[in-house]
Amino acid sequence: MLSLAATLAAGQQSSAGGVGTGSIVGIVTDPQDALIPNASVQVSDDKGTVHSLKANEVGAFALNDLPAGTSLHVTIKANGFGDWNSDPIVLAPGEMRDLKAIKLIVAITINDVAAASPEKVAVEQVQMAEHQRLFGILPNFYVTYDTRFVPLSTKLKFQLALRTSTDLATFLGAGFLAGIDQASDVAPHYEQGASGYGKRLGAAYTGATVDIVLGGAIFPVLFHQDPRYFYKGTGSKKSRMLHALSSPFVAKGDNGRWQMNVSSIGGDLGASAMTNLYYPKSDRGGGLVVKGFLEATGARIASSVLQEFVFRKLTTNSVHNSPHNSKPGLVP
């Protein structure tokens, strides 16, 4: 729909039929895909020549008769938003280049945003997430505060799962839970002593790792879903609560649309089912699978609510807590 509007906007301009020329068209929106009218659009070439116009009332623009075969740079500006700058563009003669997904970021959050490919943005988001830690210690890798949605590649999904499952804090967390189970002598019913603790530790760590790999990588790849929690941070408390509570059951697909969270549900169920392979015979059975699944789902719901209302302020190295955005009034 947006591309069609851009094409119609192009048709309203003078024809781009000149020899050795091309066109650039596009639609200007905010991160929530709301159209931004009357944005200023400028295209400069290697010779310093500047071509400019304003987008129309639905945010569409078309710049025609641009020189082909030379490096062009597009800059888009709008009141209240940071500047958008494209990577170098080289048009072929007669080409109409549609600049898709032009999203201006609110200026109070980011003052100047350079346009980048979705792949580059995804890599940057994962790299930033891998430095997010609660209290500077516990990994908080599966939450994104960036309002831009870009799908993660297969490589990035597995990278995030591997980084989380091999993090020292994940192993220590399994050790802590194993210690509690050992002291309480609850299921799984291994013997007491170092041998029993070692088995409990192995079971706890294996269960956590299987859940991370299944729900965070394998199933998201198979079902084309994003395994991250998307921090809302705005709107009423009720809307934010509903967003958090639904997170274990609703996920964003790689196409950007909300859909049933098969990855998370399948990961929790699969990890719980696999406990029958390494738990003592006395603790195996369908009841264990159901119990483990319900516990994992409940923990995921609690975690999502905390992510939405508490963890942001306690997470270091997040985009909201970076020096660039730590000035008074910049954090919502």
Side-chain angles (χ1 to χ4, degrees), residues 23 55 57 103 116 155 158 162 227 244 260 283 290 292 296 327:
S23 303
E57 63 275 7
K103 297 182 184 294
K155 178 181 178 181
F158 275 96
L162 180 63
M260 182 178 179
D283 294 316
V290 174
K327 298 178 182 179

Side-chain angles (χ1 to χ4, degrees), residues 208-281:
T209 300
V210 169
D211 202 352
I212 292 170
V213 173
L214 284 179
I218 294 177
F219 287 156
V221 169
L222 291 177
F223 296 106
H224 306 288
Q225 294 185 325
D226 198 300
R228 297 172 293 178
Y229 177 79
F230 292 89
Y231 175 74
K232 183 175 174 63
T234 58
S236 67
K237 290 184 178 180
K238 180 180 178 180
S239 67
R240 294 176 65 190
M241 179 63 75
L242 290 175
H243 173 74
L245 293 175
S246 65
S247 179
F249 311 103
V250 181
K252 269 196 175 182
D254 289 343
N255 59 5
R257 298 177 181 176
W258 293 103
Q259 53 193 246
M260 182 178 179
N261 197 346
V262 180
S263 300
S264 177
I265 295 172
D268 291 342
L269 190 59
S272 182
M274 290 190 69
T275 57
N276 279 295
L277 300 178
Y278 52 80
Y279 268 26
K281 291 184 179 180

Side-chain angles (χ1 to χ4, degrees), residues 5-297:
T7 303
L8 292 175
Q12 295 172 359
Q13 306 295 323
S14 59
S15 173
V19 178
T21 64
S23 303
I24 294 178
V25 302
I27 296 288
V28 186
T29 71
D30 68 12
Q32 283 71 47
D33 293 324
L35 300 173
I36 300 176
N38 305 317
S40 173
V41 184
Q42 291 186 339
V43 178
S44 58
D45 59 27
D46 288 340
K47 298 179 180 179
T49 303
V50 176
H51 311 260
S52 63
L53 54 68
K54 285 188 177 295
N56 64 20
E57 63 275 7
V58 294
F61 68 88
L63 278 160
N64 298 310
D65 297 318
L66 299 173
T70 186
S71 182
L72 303 174
H73 298 268
V74 180
T75 299
I76 299 177
K77 301 180 180 181
N79 291 334
F81 295 88
D83 294 351
W84 187 94
N85 299 286
S86 75
D87 289 329
I89 298 172
V90 178
L91 297 173
E95 178 185 359
M96 177 181 287
R97 181 72 61 89
D98 187 355
L99 299 183
K100 299 178 180 179
I102 301 174
K103 297 182 184 294
L104 303 190
I105 307 300
V106 179
I108 61 173
T109 302
I110 300 177
N111 291 323
D112 190 279
V113 177
S117 66
E119 293 80 8
K120 185 185 296 184
V121 173
V123 170
E124 292 174 351
Q125 288 180 344
V126 170
Q127 289 176 341
M128 177 173 290
E130 289 177 339
H131 289 87
Q132 294 174 172
R133 290 185 180 274
L134 286 169
F135 309 104
I137 301 173
L138 303 177
N140 196 23
F141 303 157
Y142 273 99
V143 59
T144 177
Y145 300 104
D146 196 333
T147 57
R148 298 171 295 174
F149 172 75
V150 290
L152 300 182
S153 65
T154 296
K155 178 181 178 181
L156 288 176
K157 290 175 182 177
F158 275 96
Q159 175 183 321
L160 199 54
L162 180 63
R163 180 71 180 84
T164 304
S165 60
T166 58
D167 191 84
L168 177 61
T170 301
F171 183 78
L172 293 178
F176 178 74
L177 293 177
I180 293 178
D181 289 345
Q182 182 83 343
S184 305
D185 196 21
V186 297
H189 293 94
Y190 295 112
E191 66 271 19
Q192 289 294 315
S195 176
Y197 175 76
K199 292 177 181 178
R200 291 180 189 276
L201 172 60
Y205 181 71
T206 299
T209 300
V210 169
D211 202 352
I212 292 170
V213 173
L214 284 179
I218 294 177
F219 287 156
V221 169
L222 291 177
F223 296 106
H224 306 288
Q225 294 185 325
D226 198 300
R228 297 172 293 178
Y229 177 79
F230 292 89
Y231 175 74
K232 183 175 174 63
T234 58
S236 67
K237 290 184 178 180
K238 180 180 178 180
S239 67
R240 294 176 65 190
M241 179 63 75
L242 290 175
H243 173 74
L245 293 175
S246 65
S247 179
F249 311 103
V250 181
K252 269 196 175 182
D254 289 343
N255 59 5
R257 298 177 181 176
W258 293 103
Q259 53 193 246
M260 182 178 179
N261 197 346
V262 180
S263 300
S264 177
I265 295 172
D268 291 342
L269 190 59
S272 182
M274 290 190 69
T275 57
N276 279 295
L277 300 178
Y278 52 80
Y279 268 26
K281 291 184 179 180
S282 60
D283 294 316
R284 298 175 188 172
L288 171 68
V289 175
V290 174
K291 178 176 179 290
F293 171 72
L294 293 177
E295 289 177 346
T297 301

